[in-house]
Amino acid sequence: MQIIIPLVLLILCMVSISLIYWLVFRWLPKLIFNFLLGPIALLGAYIWAFPMNMGFYEFFK
């Protein structure tokens, strides 16, 4: 049960970073846009991982 909230935060972080990417770079050609979408989603995972590593996960225990 303790892992559900951090996973929801992970999904929200990845979706929000991807949404910002979509809003800013939708003018790119579709091939380049789709190619960069995966690394942008991984960036959202890294943004989520740093606070979790610094003890934010302890807040949910």
Side-chain angles (χ1 to χ4, degrees), residues 1-9 48 57 60:
M1 196 66 180
Q2 297 173 357
I3 197 147
I4 292 174
I5 295 174
L7 286 178
V8 169
L9 288 175
W48 171 84
Y57 181 71
F60 294 107

Side-chain angles (χ1 to χ4, degrees), residues 19-57:
L19 180 66
I20 292 169
Y21 171 73
W22 179 76
L23 290 172
V24 174
F25 293 109
R26 63 179 147 181
W27 55 268
L28 285 172
K30 188 170 181 148
L31 182 67
I32 296 171
F33 181 84
N34 289 340
F35 179 73
L36 294 175
L37 189 58
I40 293 299
L42 283 176
L43 176 68
Y46 286 126
I47 290 172
W48 171 84
F50 284 121
M52 290 297 165
N53 193 23
M54 292 178 2
F56 189 64
Y57 181 71

